[in-house]
Amino acid sequence: MRNKVLVIIPAYNEEANIEMVVGELEEKYPQYDYLVVNDGSTDRTEEICRDHGYNLLDLPVNLGLAGCFQAGMKYAYYRKYEYAIQFDGDGQHRPEYIEPMMQKMKEGYDIVIGSRFVDQKKDFSFRMIGSRLIESAIYLTTGVRVADPTSGMRMFSQKMIREFALNLNYGPEPDTVSYLLKQGAKIAEVPVKIAPRAGGESYLKPMVAVSYMSRILISILFIQNFRKR
């Protein structure tokens, strides 16, 4: 019988981390199916996955998070998974939180976010100021409070899997969460802890982070009112 949840692991140049991330899932959490989506990596990510026999979807070119994640959701849709979870390939997301997120989904939610701030306060670092602004923008436009809108650890119901697989050509970003809320999606958060990045460098360097936050805010406050699938 197929497992209920598919762990989708978008991976771009994660040679330093992918073996650790998938190895832990295989060794300690074999009850979960997983799919590594290699997003046109230029390092040894594909080679490592093939050498270890990982379940791999290899994209010939870099599509970015939106296209990479959608490819994983199409896989989940056509194989009839009940839930799919976005799970970073850098070692920051912890698999022990998959089960409590899945239990929360069973209460009737469409999206469950692994949140750092359900029971913790945000500091006043530059990134957390950006997170506060995005949280406020989502609340202003939807009336729903999402404490950790930038968390990349998100679980989706079968209804949302279908939406991403067949309709939405957008990445799983905070503005898409805002859009789905406006379409009636029910969203919950469960507390998680995010580990430090195991290896390599994050693409969100300071200037990139400024651009990202600005783009997301503009999208939530203005573009979502005109957005079509």
Side-chain angles (χ1 to χ4, degrees), residues 43-83:
D43 65 358
R44 295 182 58 250
T45 299
E46 177 194 357
E47 179 184 343
I48 292 169
C49 290
R50 293 197 184 280
D51 286 349
H52 287 81
Y54 295 158
N55 190 30
L56 174 68
L57 178 60
D58 188 41
L59 304 180
V61 296
N62 177 251
L63 296 181
L65 180 60
C68 177
F69 182 71
Q70 187 178 40
M73 291 295 252
K74 285 180 180 291
Y75 181 100
Y77 172 72
Y78 286 112
R79 285 159 181 77
K80 301 186 183 339
Y81 282 93
E82 191 170 348
Y83 309 114

